[in-house]
Amino acid sequence: MPETALDITGWTCPAPLRDRPRVVMGHGGGGALSAELVQHLFAPAFGGEALAQLGDSAAVRLGGQRLAFSTDSYVVRPLFFPGGSIGDLAVNGTVNDLAMSGAEAAYLSCGFILEEGVEMATLARVAEDMGAAARAAGVEVATGDTKVVEMGHGDGVYVNTAGIGLIPDGVDLRPQRVVPGDVVIVSGGIGLHGVAIMSVREGLEFGVDIESDCAALGGLVRTMLAVTPDLHVLRDPTRGGLAAALNEIAAASGTGVVLHEGRVPVPEAVANACAILGLDPLYVANEGKLVAFVPREHAEAVLDAMRAHPLGRDAAVVGEAVEAHPGLVVARTGLGGTRVVDLPLGEQLPRIC
């Protein structure tokens, strides 16, 4: 048969290249591209010791007090999904970022960016969800701002929240405190938020109803700290899932992480959905789970306390920090083999939060 020249002018690469001169969706995905954007563009431009922490929130001193300060923006599509809405996310997400520093969240700010033409009933529903979530989390929305962009230049409703809270004395949560021997605990089943969003966005049905795990984790963290303030680090594995959170901690601490794949709590519905779609649950986003690195001598007591809390009843020990392969996460499979769990480049499903 005669050879035919391929016309590749219309082809696109599914994985964005790191040297692209323009922003791509992967830059907002919580993976390697996001990390490069922060480390090589934003951090050099802004400078400062507080930013250099690169945690879920910054721990700063003000007037003799240790404060946690965090901000996040929410562009989830659709606005309403099983188990929550952009309003719930905007409150719980920032509360959780503060909780990962051990802080008691106190006040939030709220900024709305609205697209011209959005229905007032939709905006009212988002605001009501935010108010209810704030009251449930014990925080107050103390200040805010509203901007409107022309029709066609937004996507209905975007929300930004920033929050502050006090860090108790004796609490020092940061990845640099992780040491070989630390036990890795996950607070419950992973992947529910990402699969819930995917199901409604793409019109998929998996045989069972799947709801987001969106929740405020401040109470669970208080329960853990009551056992011992000597927790080493906490993270909420949102964009990029559990895999991204573990990679970030391994890189920042200079330790290796061994993950026992068979011990990771993956709800059956999530496992089935990921199998159908060819996704790895370790990379699917969560909005109501945390991962903790705990000194081995306290791990059993912390795990028992977590399981006694409604948001931690399915908590499980899933791995440990090790001296070997510093900065890398390695999973031990059910077949006795091992595989490297890389930091994702971008995100399996964008606009997840």
Side-chain angles (χ1 to χ4, degrees):
M1 296 179 64
E3 293 185 2
T4 302
L6 292 177
D7 179 7
I8 64 172
T9 56
W11 289 16
T12 59
C13 177
L17 303 178
R18 300 188 185 203
D19 59 353
R20 287 200 174 192
R22 299 180 185 275
V23 172
V24 295
M25 290 298 294
H27 283 121
L33 285 173
S34 292
E36 290 178 2
L37 189 66
V38 171
Q39 293 170 7
H40 300 302
L41 193 154
F42 293 133
F46 300 153
E49 294 182 2
L51 180 62
Q53 299 172 31
L54 295 180
D56 287 335
S57 59
V60 298
R61 287 196 173 275
L62 186 65
Q65 299 287 330
R66 290 180 68 219
L67 298 178
F69 180 34
S70 184
T71 186
D72 209 341
S73 298
Y74 299 87
V75 297
V76 64
R77 180 171 57 87
L79 297 177
F80 306 98
F81 47 83
S85 71
I86 192 172
D88 299 304
L89 280 177
V91 171
N92 293 337
T94 296
V95 166
N96 291 346
D97 284 346
L98 296 173
M100 297 307 103
S101 293
E104 295 275 356
Y107 296 100
L108 300 181
S109 70
C110 171
F112 283 100
I113 299 176
L114 310 175
E115 183 184 16
E116 180 186 21
V118 69
E119 294 183 0
M120 285 292 182
T122 298
L123 181 58
R125 184 177 170 189
V126 171
E128 289 167 1
D129 286 350
M130 289 188 69
R135 289 187 289 273
V139 298
E140 180 180 345
V141 179
T143 187
D145 181 57
T146 303
K147 295 292 188 296
V148 178
V149 298
E150 297 88 344
M151 186 176 296
H153 290 263
D155 196 8
V157 179
Y158 298 150
V159 183
N160 172 275
T161 50
I164 58 172
L166 289 174
I167 302 175
D169 291 338
V171 174
D172 184 16
L173 298 172
R174 48 192 173 90
Q176 292 77 15
R177 296 195 64 219
V178 172
V179 296
D182 280 357
V183 173
V184 181
I185 301 176
V186 172
S187 64
I190 65 171
L192 288 165
H193 179 70
V195 172
I197 294 291
M198 191 182 309
S199 66
V200 292
R201 185 185 299 176
E202 307 300 334
L204 302 175
E205 295 184 3
F206 302 111
V208 295
D209 293 331
I210 300 177
E211 292 191 352
S212 169
D213 59 345
C214 183
L217 296 170
L220 177 60
V221 172
R222 286 194 297 273
T223 296
M224 298 167 67
L225 290 173
V227 175
T228 174
D230 189 31
L231 306 178
H232 284 170
V233 69
L234 302 176
R235 283 289 169 89
D236 57 336
T238 54
R239 298 173 303 167
L242 180 60
L246 292 178
N247 270 278
E248 290 169 359
I249 293 170
S253 65
T255 63
V257 174
V258 172
L259 182 68
H260 300 280
E261 214 166 34
R263 301 180 189 174
V264 178
V266 181
E268 183 178 1
V270 171
N272 292 340
C274 288
I276 292 170
L277 299 170
L279 303 177
D280 186 337
L282 294 178
Y283 294 93
V284 179
N286 312 272
E287 287 293 346
K289 299 297 185 299
L290 63 79
V291 57
F293 282 63
V294 181
R296 187 169 295 276
E297 63 268 25
H298 299 306
E300 185 175 352
V302 170
L303 181 64
D304 288 343
M306 294 174 70
R307 287 176 171 170
H309 190 280
L311 294 179
R313 58 178 176 268
D314 296 321
V317 172
V318 298
E320 58 270 338
V322 297
E323 291 185 10
H325 50 79
L328 292 179
V329 180
V330 173
R332 292 181 179 168
T333 68
L335 299 177
T338 59
R339 67 182 179 99
V340 174
V341 180
D342 289 324
L343 184 68
L345 186 65
E347 191 172 20
Q348 294 183 117
L349 185 68
R351 303 281 302 278
I352 203 76
C353 62

